[in-house]
Amino acid sequence: NAGVTQTPKFQVLKTGQSMTLQCAQDMNHNSMYWYRQDPGMGLRLIYYSASEGTTDKGEVPNGYNVSRLNKREFSLRLESAAPSQTSVYFCASMIRDGSYNEQFFGPGTRLTVL
Amino acid sequence: GNSVTQMEGPVTLSEEAFLTINCTYTATGYPSLFWYVQYPGEGLQLLLKATKADDKGSNKGFEATYRKETTSFHLEKGSVQVSDSAVYFCALSDVGGTSYGKLTFGQGTILTVHP
């Protein structure tokens, strides 16, 4: 099992450009999450998908959109990138059965917006 | 809303020193508590967890006890190694209902261990 995979690993954009960050998991998990990590601020939830076919906003959704393409894949789109979106982005997944469950994280995408 | 506060860092120790990283939380109900670790250039991985008051989570020599009366979940290790150098995150998750397992993280504590 590859676990949670993310592409690309690194990306540099110019202000106003768009891009999609890809995430896939092969653990048959039903919930998936997108976080951003900024120095001194820990990880903050951008969007999540509790199950296939549903998506909801997290703490910092402005400037982002998501698509839960199927049970395996959950993409994050920046329609018009801004320097404030320079960050490291992590995707995570979890099987949710009503009790405590561990989230599994991908290796991250380091995004720089110039 | 939920929040997690970790001790200010970074923390620098010599090998075999005792480690404590403080973590306190604010939450409604009875959250589950976690410590995640991030090694350089990698994603986060679960270090240990506790799901109810007075539970002690432990792994790789690290321990943390869920203290509801002080709303704390401090991470400890008796003798750190150079390989423990990483960023440590305290986190909480509401269980059940409409929480959908969302995690709230502390700001992270950078630990550097010197030989």
Side-chain angles (χ1 to χ4, degrees):
Chain A
N1 285 354
V4 180
T5 57
Q6 293 182 236
T7 56
K9 289 191 184 325
F10 302 94
Q11 184 72 49
V12 179
L13 294 178
K14 294 181 180 178
T15 296
Q17 287 185 316
S18 62
M19 78 162 295
T20 300
L21 281 64
Q22 306 286 354
C23 173
Q25 53 90 12
D26 61 2
M27 297 174 282
N28 202 35
H29 287 172
N30 45 12
S31 297
M32 297 185 73
Y33 309 83
W34 276 105
Y35 296 91
R36 59 177 288 172
Q37 181 181 22
D38 301 295
M41 301 187 74
L43 277 76
R44 292 178 293 169
L45 183 65
I46 305 171
Y47 270 93
Y48 67 100
S49 171
S51 59
E52 185 180 356
T54 68
T55 61
D56 283 288
K57 296 178 180 179
E59 182 184 354
V60 288
N62 290 347
Y64 306 95
N65 285 299
V66 292
S67 296
R68 183 74 182 267
L69 304 171
N70 46 57
K71 192 170 187 179
R72 290 187 64 248
E73 298 172 289
F74 188 40
S75 62
L76 178 71
R77 182 158 179 86
L78 287 70
E79 290 291 352
S80 179
S84 60
Q85 294 178 303
T86 294
S87 187
V88 182
Y89 291 85
F90 288 99
C91 178
S93 71
M94 184 179 79
I95 188 164
R96 188 170 54 84
D97 64 6
S99 62
Y100 142 77
N101 294 113
E102 175 185 352
Q103 286 193 20
F104 291 81
F105 285 79
T109 294
R110 186 173 295 274
L111 174 67
T112 300
V113 182
L114 303 175
Chain B
N2 296 337
S3 67
V4 176
T5 302
Q6 288 181 234
M7 67 183 291
E8 295 294 327
V11 175
T12 302
L13 296 172
S14 297
E15 209 164 23
E16 299 184 1
F18 184 85
L19 168 70
T20 299
I21 301 178
N22 290 339
C23 171
T24 57
Y25 68 90
T26 302
T28 56
Y30 301 93
S32 294
L33 301 175
F34 308 84
W35 278 100
Y36 278 83
V37 59
Q38 183 182 30
Y39 298 104
E42 299 183 9
L44 279 70
Q45 54 186 274
L46 182 67
L47 179 61
L48 53 83
K49 68 183 188 298
T51 58
K52 61 183 186 294
D54 300 324
D55 265 4
K56 177 185 282 189
S58 61
N59 186 25
K60 300 181 181 178
F62 291 89
E63 293 183 339
T65 300
Y66 189 145
R67 301 286 188 200
K68 194 171 190 305
E69 63 276 14
T70 56
T71 61
S72 65
F73 192 55
H74 304 322
L75 182 68
E76 296 182 337
K77 187 174 185 182
S79 176
V80 294
Q81 306 299 312
V82 172
S83 57
D84 294 326
S85 298
V87 184
Y88 291 82
F89 293 94
C90 185
L92 69 80
S93 175
D94 285 332
V95 177
T98 58
S99 68
Y100 302 118
K102 292 177 288 182
L103 288 170
T104 300
F105 285 90
Q107 67 268 42
T109 300
I110 300 172
L111 171 66
T112 303
V113 180
H114 293 297

